[in-house]
Structures are given as structure tokens and as C-alpha cells.
Amino acid sequence: MKSGFLCAAAFAAISSSIIGLAGAATDVADSSASKCCASLESALPGKTFSSTNQANLYQKSVASYFSVQDRLRPNCFVTPTTTKDVSKIVKLLSEASCKFAIKAGGHGQPVGASNIVDGVTIDLVRMNDVTLSADKTTAAVGPGAKWAQVYSVLDAQGYAIPGGRAGGVGVGGLTTGGGNSFFAARYGFVCDNVKNFEVVLGSGEIVQANNQTNPDLFTALKGSSNNLGIVTRFDIVAFKQGNLWGGVSTYDTSKAREQIQAIVRFTDNVAKRPFGSLISLWTYLKGQEGVSITNLYEYTGDAGLLGLSPTKFPLPEFVDFAPTSPIGAPLTSTLRVTNLTSLTNELNSPPELSNLYATLTFSNNETVLNGVVNILGDELKKYQNQDFFVYASVQFQPLPRVFVEHSLDRGGNVLGLERNLDNNVFFLLDLAWAGAQNDAKIYRVADEVIARLQKYARGVNGLKEFQYLNYASQSQDPLGSYGPEALNQIKTASKKYDPAQVFQKLVPGGFKLADAGKKAPLPGSI
């Protein structure tokens, strides 16, 4: 996850408005899944718990999900500590035809992607080791680790790996969904930097997937999420890394057009200035007119060598955002020289809310993006004073062609982005609310906003087919957006490595292959 995030200032404003959250749902009724739970407890004593067996640990697992509406109550959680445990669990569940979900960090969307009702949730939280190889070229990372844990271990040794930008996000979901990082302009997506996947297949067999062994599975795992198996270890490219320059800056919203111009220029120059990373965050808060603009900057070169400071921006990477640029000096700033752990811990979203993500990809074009901003202002002002609304966070993130070129240089993935020869921009809509009674209202808001944006962007030839899986809503079709060739790669790997179709039939959550390319478009999107 997979994640959207807010800066500390927006976090504080939102937290003060969170009241009256709905309580957890009641326990699910007994079912055949309970028999599977009993078998798991027998096979893995002390590692399986339910609402009647180690209820405190069960409730802790329920509460560990980031988004409130993801806190479903399965018949039991099972918490493996080794790959052999995972193998035993999958074999048992497969043979008994028990439905299950797979949780890594618990930050994933949509609802049910990593949890289940009337089934078993495999919680990989205890598989969180981080080990730098003896030659310091790779780091072996467990799927249940969160990125803050990963960076804390590697920072202490002067190394880093391409990974998530919000410390509270898990390794497993983000990486198998593609994964953007501060280092994407230098190394490509996170999945492209995996040298080897250790995977438990639907039969329980443990295999390795890399360029030499099971290479078709290796490629198909880079973007296919939970459709092919359970990854129990990621061996990811490591490199030397000292302190970075970065942080969060807020701006005068009267300079919105200048901000869009700066985003477009930055994106068009990423290939020539690969040490810069940018996220532009536009936040619509409950009860507040208009929008708050916040930029998240990171410079991944040697900050000490350049003598950077909170007021000295690294050039030329951030020439369009420097205090002397048309957007002006920031109103507030946390810019500093610090380590990766500190920077990613700053980029987490407020807890104890329900969240819905939706995504699109736009051409990197000022006219297109200005039109998007105008539509967002028009649509979201309808809801900013509604009781159910807490905030809407919108992100613009560069998706330049150089990201794709790095992917191709590393053997490719199944995201299908090689079809795009130009520079583009990721768009994320993150809606937050309190209370399960408001779920349907928020889903409707998201669908209406995305449909209008799609219609507009398509009309000005600014809409790209790609939908980033880690940001996609349940109404969207990210696997289908990869294109027929990439989707066929995943389906072929599924038939070969999961002939019984365990991860299609028994793992209902997330985006499934049977639905890919078949979802009806949102109303008004054509």
C-alpha cells in the first residue's frame, strides 16, 4: 500500500474534528471456517487466535488495520513466523477449501483486500525481519515489515533500498502493487528492484522467483498483488545512502496556477534531475473554504556535500519551487537534513478514520491539470460542510517516462506503462470520514468525482489508461488498465503456478483476474 498521507499540519487539523466513531462490528457467525481455525490451532499452536481464543490478540489484530472500515472480524487470525508456517497454512486452507485473506501492513485498499468475514486472515506481521546481505548489495525484507522499520535498520548501516514513502505502510502490498518511492527517478518502481521473491504457491510449495528461476513468475509478481501466491521474502537492491534533504512546505493557495506550472516543469525535467522527488498535496478540510496546498520534497543526493538547509533548496532539482520562484516562499516548512526514517515517519495519515482511495493518470500538461483542479474545487465544496465529511486529500505525483525506462532496464513488470511514451502524472483522491453509516455516501462521492474527471480529461486528450493498483477504488479496474498483453502475462502465470486457482477461488479480496477488463465504466465516464 499502499498509502495516501497528510502532513503534520493537516493531520492536527483533522484529528481535532474526529468524533463519534462507530464501534466495531459484532463477531461473525460460526461457519465452516471455524473448523479451519481449529485445524490451524492444532497445526500451529499459539499462532492462531479468535474472539474466543486469545481474544486480546484477536482484537489487537483487528485494530491493526489502518482504515476503520477494513477492521473486519474473521473467524480467526493466524500469524506465521516462517515461510514453512505459511506453506503449512496455505496447504491446510486449500485442502479444506477455506476462504482466506492475506495481510502484510494492513494499509491496503479496497475493503476486504487484506481481511475477510467468514474466513481466515493470514497476518504476516511477525514476518518482519530486515537483513542487509554480507556484500551489502541487497536487503532481505519480510512482507510484514513496515517501511519505517526497514529504514530504521538500514539507516543505522548507511544504506537504503527503494521503498514506500509513508513509514506506516507495509512492504508486502506496496511492492506487489508496483510501489513508488523517493528513488524512482534513479531506480524505477519498488517492484523493479526486487532481485528475488520467495513465494508460497497455492499448493503450499515454496519457490524462488528471479531472472534465472521461474522468470515468468518473477515478472508477473511485479504488479499483480495477491493473485499468484504469498511472498514471504523480498530481496531488494540496496545502495549506500546518507542523510537526505526534505520535508513538508505549505503555500499560499492564491498561487495555485503557479503550483501546477511548477509541477509540470518538475515532471518534464526529472530525467535530467533524478535526485529530486515531489508530491503535491491539495487538501480540502471539513468546514474550511477552498484548499490547502502542501508540497513534499525530498532530495536523495548527498545533502551534506551540498550544504543544504531549510532555506537552501537543492538546485537545479527544485528550481521551480525555490523561495524566489513564482510560487513564493513557503508559509510553513519542516525542511531539514535528516535520515529516511524521519522523513517517512512524517508522511502518515490520521488514524481512526475510514479512508477510500481512487486514482487516475493524467498527461503532464498544465491545461489538463488546471482543469482537474477546477473540477475538484467545484465538486468537493459541495461536501466540505457535510456532517459525514472529514477531509479530501488530492495528490499529484510525477510519473515521467524515465520511471518506465528503469523498469525496462531491469527486465520489466506487468504494469503496462511501456505503452506511454510521454511524461504523466499520478492522481490520488483520498476521502476520509467517520462512521460506517456514511460509507455509501462517500463511495458515491468518489464515483461522481472520478467520473467527472475522467470525462473531462478524456475530452481534452489528457487521460491515460493506467490506474495504479495501490491507489485504486473498488469501482476501478487496475489490472484491466495494464492492457491485454500484461494481463495475459499474469493470467498465464496464474494457470501455471496456481493450477487449482487457490488465489482466485479462495482469496476473494482485492482485484481479481476474473474481473479484470470487465468492469463497467463509471456513469458519465465515456
Side-chain angles (χ1 to χ4, degrees):
M1 153 25 318
K2 310 191 262 196
S3 109
F5 36 76
L6 292 177
C7 66
F11 194 135
I14 291 161
S15 296
S16 66
S17 70
I18 300 172
I19 57 173
L21 291 174
T26 57
D27 288 342
V28 297
D30 194 19
S31 69
S32 60
S34 297
K35 296 178 181 178
C36 289
C37 291
S39 298
L40 287 169
E41 174 59 28
S42 177
L44 294 161
K47 297 180 179 179
T48 304
F49 35 89
S50 67
S51 59
T52 57
N53 171 30
Q54 302 189 77
N56 60 323
L57 294 178
Y58 176 85
Q59 187 55 40
K60 185 177 180 181
S61 284
V62 170
S64 69
Y65 286 84
F66 164 72
S67 186
V68 169
Q69 88 270 25
D70 292 325
R71 296 175 185 174
L72 309 178
R73 301 179 70 84
N75 290 76
C76 64
F77 287 93
V78 58
T79 55
T81 56
T82 67
T83 299
K84 287 184 178 179
D85 281 353
V86 177
S87 172
K88 188 181 295 186
I89 292 165
V90 171
K91 190 172 183 181
L92 186 155
L93 295 175
S94 175
E95 290 176 350
S97 296
C98 284
K99 291 187 176 181
F100 63 98
I102 307 131
K103 171 182 176 282
H107 211 291
Q109 298 279 340
V111 175
S114 58
N115 204 356
I116 195 168
V117 173
D118 200 14
V120 175
T121 295
I122 303 171
D123 190 346
L124 303 171
V125 64
R126 297 168 71 183
M127 298 183 69
N128 60 5
D129 289 346
V130 181
T131 306
L132 190 62
S133 63
D135 64 2
K136 302 187 187 304
T137 60
T138 60
V141 183
K146 294 189 177 181
W147 288 105
Q149 296 173 260
V150 176
Y151 299 140
S152 179
V153 171
L154 298 179
D155 276 341
Q157 301 175 70
Y159 279 79
I161 61 176
R165 297 161 296 176
V169 172
V171 169
L174 180 134
T175 307
T176 56
N180 202 349
S181 86
F182 296 145
F183 303 99
R186 293 165 56 193
Y187 294 95
F189 294 105
V190 177
C191 67
D192 296 316
N193 290 277
V194 177
K195 301 293 285 186
N196 181 75
F197 297 93
E198 182 176 75
V199 191
V200 174
L201 302 179
S203 64
E205 182 184 0
I206 301 168
V207 301
Q208 307 299 315
N210 52 57
N211 272 328
Q212 288 75 43
T213 304
N214 303 314
D216 49 350
L217 177 61
F218 178 57
T219 301
L221 284 166
K222 301 177 187 179
S224 59
S225 191
N226 65 0
N227 281 288
L228 301 176
I230 300 177
V231 178
T232 55
R233 192 188 75 240
F234 299 86
D235 298 331
I236 303 175
V237 170
F239 47 86
K240 285 186 177 181
Q241 181 66 51
N243 283 343
L244 297 79
W245 175 92
V248 173
S249 295
T250 62
Y251 288 92
D252 183 346
T253 57
S254 68
K255 298 293 184 70
R257 285 191 172 272
E258 288 83 354
Q259 288 280 353
I260 292 296
Q261 186 178 63
I263 293 167
V264 170
R265 287 179 177 172
F266 180 92
T267 302
D268 279 338
N269 284 286
V270 166
K272 295 184 290 185
R273 305 167 182 173
F275 290 93
S277 176
L278 168 71
I279 301 169
S280 191
L281 180 70
W282 301 51
T283 306
Y284 302 79
L285 293 171
K286 181 183 181 69
Q288 173 182 300
E289 278 194 30
V291 62
S292 301
I293 301 177
T294 304
N295 289 338
L296 288 57
Y297 306 121
E298 274 74 31
Y299 177 79
T300 64
D302 189 333
L305 185 65
L306 292 182
L308 300 176
S309 70
T311 57
K312 183 179 179 182
F313 279 53
L315 304 177
E317 272 76 7
F318 293 102
V319 64
D320 293 305
F321 297 95
T324 55
S325 72
I327 68 172
L331 302 176
T332 66
S333 172
T334 67
L335 291 171
R336 63 204 184 278
V337 174
T338 187
N339 60 29
L340 200 49
T341 306
S342 174
L343 289 171
T344 55
N345 276 335
E346 186 175 30
L347 306 183
N348 285 312
S349 295
E352 303 305 322
L353 288 170
S354 289
N355 292 79
L356 182 149
Y357 299 160
T359 188
L360 293 169
T361 303
F362 299 121
S363 297
N364 184 49
N365 177 281
E366 283 184 50
T367 300
V368 172
L369 298 185
N370 278 316
V372 168
V373 168
N374 290 338
I375 290 171
L376 288 169
D378 185 46
E379 287 288 331
L380 295 175
K381 71 181 180 183
K382 303 174 187 175
Y383 307 106
Q384 282 179 274
N385 291 312
Q386 297 292 321
D387 290 342
F388 63 85
F389 185 91
V390 176
Y391 73 79
S393 163
V394 171
Q395 293 180 27
F396 297 102
Q397 302 179 24
L399 177 56
R401 173 67 186 181
V402 70
F403 287 14
V404 182
E405 290 170 356
H406 286 308
S407 300
L408 296 173
D409 289 344
R410 288 161 174 74
N413 53 44
V414 290
L415 300 177
L417 284 166
E418 63 275 6
R419 296 169 297 169
N420 295 340
L421 302 179
D422 54 349
N423 296 324
N424 298 300
V425 174
F426 282 126
F427 168 84
L428 167 65
L429 172 66
D430 172 9
L431 294 171
W433 71 100
Q437 71 276 14
N438 297 314
D439 290 0
K441 296 175 185 176
I442 288 289
Y443 295 149
R444 186 170 61 251
V445 171
D447 285 351
E448 289 172 357
V449 172
I450 291 297
R452 185 172 171 190
L453 289 174
Q454 282 186 144
K455 185 175 182 179
Y456 159 74
R458 184 177 286 113
V460 295
N461 199 30
L463 182 68
K464 299 296 180 178
E465 186 176 358
F466 180 73
Q467 297 171 356
Y468 181 35
L469 185 145
N470 288 343
Y471 291 166
S473 79
Q474 60 192 16
S475 300
Q476 296 187 290
D477 183 17
L479 295 176
S481 80
Y482 295 174
E485 184 177 343
L487 182 58
N488 186 59
Q489 278 185 273
I490 304 171
K491 288 182 174 180
T492 300
S494 173
K495 291 174 183 176
K496 178 178 177 180
Y497 293 97
D498 185 17
Q501 294 293 278
V502 168
F503 289 95
Q504 303 307 309
K505 296 176 181 178
L506 298 183
V507 183
F511 299 101
K512 310 313 294 183
L513 296 177
D515 301 322
K518 297 179 181 178
K519 287 190 178 181
L522 294 172
S525 64
I526 294 179

